[in-house]
Amino acid sequence: MILKIARMGHPVLRQIAEEVEDPKSPETKKIIQDMTETLEDFGPVAGLAAPQLHISKRIIFYTFPKERADEHTPDGIPPTFLINPVIEILGEETDLGWEACLSLPDVMGEVPRYTHIRCTAFTKDGEKVSFEAKGFHARVLQHEYDHLDGILYPMRMTDMSRFGMMGEVLRYVRGQEAQEA
Ligand code: NI
């Protein structure tokens, strides 16, 4: 079933999402199925958390192609669902990167994120996994994880002059910086 995407201001995006009791239950499988169908309908997207579909459960999805990847994940990341993820910060270092979100259409902002984390979670097959993530992979995970705790990326921003309409940011801010670099 294709579900509607909750947008910033909707209270579901501010809730602490519930733990999934059984990663292998039919209920969990149905949520993952609905997330998959909604994503297929939407087109290529880097990530989605269940609360963005008005489902206040601790389930996230993410993927990115090698074109968006950095040196830490040169092949990108295949479509991945994580259930009850827990993130541990593995170092104080942060970096700034541009983020966008389906729940805040047409805007983007520059967000500081930890560059090295460990994530422990269950896969959609109910297997427990634990892995380290760095760079863009760590950023995407922190963005999606934050949705489970009611946090949207502007709440992580430290310089609101780096928040703007997507078209204008891509044209004037990022374009300019690419030329200067
Ligand atoms: Ni988001």
Side-chain angles (χ1 to χ4, degrees):
M1 193 164 55
I2 295 167
L3 301 177
K4 198 177 149 190
I5 291 168
R7 298 196 297 174
M8 184 168 68
H10 195 288
V12 72
L13 295 173
R14 295 286 292 127
Q15 285 172 19
I16 307 286
E18 271 178 28
E19 293 259 327
V20 173
E21 273 179 35
D22 178 2
K24 290 190 197 175
S25 71
E27 188 201 356
T28 306
K29 284 194 182 354
K30 171 82 171 92
I31 293 170
I32 286 172
Q33 181 67 27
D34 287 346
M35 286 175 78
T36 304
E37 287 173 22
T38 303
L39 284 160
E40 279 168 3
D41 182 60
F42 211 88
V45 164
L48 182 74
Q52 293 181 275
L53 300 181
H54 306 82
I55 301 166
S56 194
K57 294 274 186 188
R58 302 187 82 83
I59 303 175
I60 62 174
F61 166 87
Y62 66 102
T63 184
F64 51 88
K66 63 171 182 263
E67 293 75 39
R68 295 271 316 264
D70 59 19
E71 70 273 21
H72 303 295
T73 50
D75 298 326
I77 295 284
T80 303
F81 280 93
L82 295 176
I83 299 167
N84 296 343
V86 175
I87 283 179
E88 183 191 345
I89 311 299
L90 297 179
E92 287 303 304
E93 190 188 304
T94 60
D95 71 355
L96 288 166
W98 289 94
E99 297 186 15
C101 180
L102 286 183
S103 294
L104 291 77
D106 304 326
V107 292
M108 63 195 299
E110 199 178 40
V111 187
R113 297 287 185 187
Y114 292 103
T115 56
H116 188 189
I117 63 172
R118 168 172 291 281
C119 179
T120 305
F122 291 93
T123 67
K124 66 183 167 65
D125 301 315
E127 278 171 48
K128 193 165 187 178
V129 288
S130 182
F131 57 91
E132 289 185 25
K134 289 182 174 178
F136 189 64
H137 186 195
R139 171 173 299 279
V140 171
L141 263 167
Q142 287 168 85
H143 175 118
E144 298 313 326
Y145 178 87
D146 268 353
H147 279 297
L148 307 181
D149 284 343
I151 297 168
L152 298 171
Y153 75 81
M155 296 159 70
R156 295 287 191 193
M157 290 180 64
T158 47
D159 178 356
M160 290 309 285
S161 75
R162 308 287 285 172
F163 187 52
M165 301 305 297
M166 201 173 281
E168 279 67 9
V169 168
L170 291 173
R171 184 172 173 192
Y172 296 111
V173 184
R174 281 179 62 169
Q176 204 97 33
E177 283 163 10
Q179 278 177 13
E180 284 163 10

